[in-house]
Amino acid sequence: MTPPLVFIVEDEPKLARVLEEYLQRDGFRTHQIERGDQVMAQAKELGPDLILLDLMLPGLDGMEVCRELRRFSEVPIIMTTARVDEIDRLLGLEIGADDYVCKPYSPREVVARARAVLRRWGPKAEAEDTRLAVAVDMDRFEARLGERVLDLTPVELRLLHCLSERPGRVLSRDQLMNRLYPDGRVVTDRTIDSHVKNLRRKLADYLPEQDLIRSVYGVGYKLEA
Ligand code: CA
């Protein structure tokens, strides 16, 4: 198996070199990029398995890079920033990064996070069992599990759509609420829970031995990757 390729997008050469050294020692392949505006083309060309993305970059800042990448790629992204308060802001913006690390960090910690993110994403590539593939087509307003069209209510369909966008990623009840009821209607956590319960029951009709939707205690729900 080819070792995972990690993009190190970092404009401080010293820092980039240290990361490179640690990642390579841990068995990763690495590729360094110093400018934000060079990431897209190289991501398309080389298809990285993970991107370590600095926030402050020449050319295009990390936040924009992240947004652009998400238009065509689900590659795991770990953002790095020198400011703790930036992390809160970034989390609020939901720009699609998978993890955040604050500088100064220990390279060892970054390697550990990289491993963790890849582990979370790892099973995705293997899960080519088409029986388990959830596909939601919002244009046709239709969801499929493998070949079978699911009989869902509009709310259940939207719910499955949200969860299926990023399998493995936990969505909080608040996040789901905002997505399911964009009109700002006030619903309780229990409403979300009961929609999830119904959706689970329907999925179980087709796939009784699998629990595709996992609840994460105190956080929310996720679709198994
Ligand atoms: Ca920087």
Side-chain angles (χ1 to χ4, degrees):
M1 217 180 76
T2 334
L5 174 64
V6 181
F7 274 15
I8 301 168
V9 186
E10 172 60 66
D11 59 330
E12 281 173 58
K14 246 193 224 158
L15 197 50
R17 256 199 314 278
V18 173
L19 280 178
E20 181 184 69
E21 194 188 310
Y22 272 79
L23 285 162
Q24 288 183 357
R25 202 186 296 161
D26 212 59
F28 292 95
R29 288 178 300 142
T30 60
H31 176 71
Q32 288 195 26
I33 302 175
E34 285 176 20
R35 295 181 57 89
D37 50 5
Q38 293 171 349
V39 180
M40 239 62 64
Q42 300 193 34
K44 280 177 184 162
E45 192 191 328
L46 300 172
D49 297 291
L50 174 73
I51 298 183
L52 295 177
L53 184 58
D54 184 24
L55 183 65
M56 302 293 274
L57 289 165
L60 194 64
D61 78 31
M63 206 154 71
E64 284 305 316
V65 173
C66 194
R67 281 211 185 96
E68 293 278 318
L69 280 166
R70 280 291 170 258
R71 293 202 184 139
F72 69 93
S73 168
E74 290 285 282
V75 60
I77 298 172
I78 299 178
M79 301 276 293
T80 61
T81 168
R83 293 173 52 185
V84 185
D85 55 338
E86 277 294 326
I87 291 190
D88 284 338
R89 197 166 72 86
L90 292 170
L91 283 173
L93 291 173
E94 290 189 55
I95 53 169
D98 295 82
D99 202 357
Y100 298 87
V101 183
C102 203
K103 291 176 182 175
Y105 46 66
S106 82
R108 218 170 264 124
E109 185 197 349
V110 176
V111 172
R113 299 271 194 114
R115 283 252 167 256
V117 167
L118 284 172
R119 244 196 324 273
R120 246 184 306 174
W121 280 82
K124 202 178 152 223
E126 293 155 26
E128 290 303 326
D129 186 348
T130 50
R131 263 183 349 131
L132 297 178
V134 173
V136 184
D137 184 338
M138 290 309 279
D139 290 330
R140 299 165 79 169
F141 221 66
E142 184 182 275
R144 286 169 185 271
L145 184 62
E147 296 295 301
R148 310 174 71 163
V149 177
L150 300 170
D151 182 20
L152 304 179
T153 65
V155 172
E156 289 161 5
L157 184 77
R158 282 202 293 272
L159 178 60
L160 187 58
H161 176 61
C162 298
L163 291 168
S164 67
E165 280 176 335
R166 309 294 305 278
R169 156 93 58 99
V170 182
L171 288 172
S172 69
R173 289 183 178 80
D174 278 345
Q175 285 172 320
L176 287 170
M177 225 176 273
N178 293 334
R179 296 284 303 276
L180 297 182
Y181 302 100
D183 55 358
R185 193 181 339 163
V186 179
V187 294
T188 63
D189 283 359
R190 205 170 291 169
T191 311
I192 300 294
D193 291 342
S194 83
H195 286 307
V196 170
K197 196 173 144 202
N198 292 336
L199 178 59
R200 263 185 170 153
R201 190 170 40 74
K202 289 183 180 178
L203 290 172
D205 285 345
Y206 295 92
L207 217 58
E209 74 275 24
Q210 283 277 339
D211 200 5
L212 288 179
I213 299 176
R214 280 258 316 272
S215 50
V216 179
Y217 184 75
V219 187
Y221 295 101
K222 66 174 180 175
L223 190 73
E224 284 295 347

